[in-house]
Amino acid sequence: MIKNLLRGAAALCLALTPLAVPAPASAAPASAAPAAAAAEVLPLVVAVEQIPVADESRAGYTRTKFKHWNTGLDPADGCNTRAEVLLAEAVEPPVVGAGCKLTGGSWTSYYDGQQVNDAAKLDIDHMTPLAEAWDSGASQWTAQRREAYANDQDAAASLAAVTARSNRQKADQDPAQWMPPHPDATCRYITEWTATKLRWDLSADQAEADALKSYAHACPGQVVEYTRAP
């Protein structure tokens, strides 16, 4: 059974990436890797202002430029990123068979509040869709960084198991164009969208930025926590 403590279906923000504990100075090798970046915590109304505003361009985009799903957090477990997310977000864990085939289990799709008892009826949604990420800065990334984005399980909000219907209604739209239909999802969604954009240094177009600000002011007390991606 895969346990991913960095994820949680009820999470309202990105989880803190554990900090590396430094070894004593006398024992540290000269080539020791630097500690992981600390999490940043901001009120939602402040966080949305940190997203740079820029025009977007879809030129050159194809979905295949974001490799997914890869072997996931644990290449030895036989499960790809999609399966690992399903296992991590299950309300009732499924049985894992040969080839990481999942049987049974139960999930809650927070976009529409639906209970799902069949993994095949779920999509793994990229909080900021791949095409939107491309438009907002990922077109300038290396292929390796785009793969890391497409399979990001090191932040709780990056990937979400939701009904195929809600994911396909969302498609590649930003919050100015689409919001989850479940009324209780609004503040969580805006928080997680903002956290993802900040984590990956992505921009927003003007309509998107205006929508984020409007929703943020309707979600008083909401906090965004994120760690910048390597």
Side-chain angles (χ1 to χ4, degrees), residues 142-163:
T142 64
Q144 291 76 17
R145 185 168 177 82
R146 286 195 290 269
E147 179 180 352
Y149 178 85
N151 296 274
D152 184 16
Q153 293 188 72
D154 288 327
S158 294
L159 301 170
V162 297
T163 57

Side-chain angles (χ1 to χ4, degrees), residues 3-230:
K3 296 183 179 179
N4 183 351
L5 297 181
L6 294 176
R7 301 188 56 86
L12 292 177
C13 57
L14 289 178
L16 172 65
T17 301
L19 296 175
V21 178
S26 60
S31 59
E40 299 187 42
V41 182
L42 296 169
L44 177 58
V45 292
V46 175
V48 297
E49 298 282 357
Q50 307 307 305
I51 302 174
V53 177
D55 292 336
E56 296 182 351
S57 173
R58 188 66 52 94
Y61 170 75
T62 61
R63 189 171 175 83
T64 57
K65 291 183 177 178
F66 292 80
K67 181 182 177 182
H68 64 289
W69 304 110
N70 65 18
T71 54
L73 292 176
D74 182 4
D77 67 7
C79 297
N80 64 13
T81 297
R82 170 186 161 81
E84 288 185 354
V85 173
L86 288 169
L87 287 165
E89 296 197 355
V91 177
E92 296 180 9
V95 174
V96 183
C100 200
K101 179 178 175 59
L102 306 183
T103 305
S106 177
W107 294 262
T108 300
S109 167
Y110 94 83
Y111 288 0
D112 49 16
Q114 297 297 306
Q115 300 298 312
V116 180
N117 298 313
D118 181 355
K121 295 181 180 179
L122 292 163
D123 281 355
I124 304 303
D125 181 43
H126 295 91
M127 173 52 58
T128 299
L130 301 181
E132 167 68 20
W134 177 272
D135 299 350
S136 306
S139 61
Q140 304 303 309
W141 295 351
T142 64
Q144 291 76 17
R145 185 168 177 82
R146 286 195 290 269
E147 179 180 352
Y149 178 85
N151 296 274
D152 184 16
Q153 293 188 72
D154 288 327
S158 294
L159 301 170
V162 297
T163 57
R165 176 184 175 88
S166 64
N167 184 46
R168 292 164 199 184
Q169 288 175 338
K170 172 182 174 178
D172 58 7
Q173 300 177 95
D174 66 36
Q177 303 160 316
W178 184 90
M179 285 291 291
H182 197 287
D184 293 341
T186 298
C187 292
R188 175 180 173 183
Y189 187 79
I190 292 299
T191 298
E192 294 188 342
W193 181 280
T194 301
T196 302
K197 286 253 166 163
L198 291 173
R199 171 170 168 76
W200 289 93
D201 294 316
L202 296 171
S203 62
D205 63 23
Q206 190 62 62
E208 176 189 346
D210 291 344
L212 291 173
K213 292 172 187 177
S214 178
Y215 284 117
H217 283 287
C219 297
Q222 203 75 10
V223 173
V224 174
E225 182 176 345
Y226 68 97
T227 303
R228 294 190 181 276

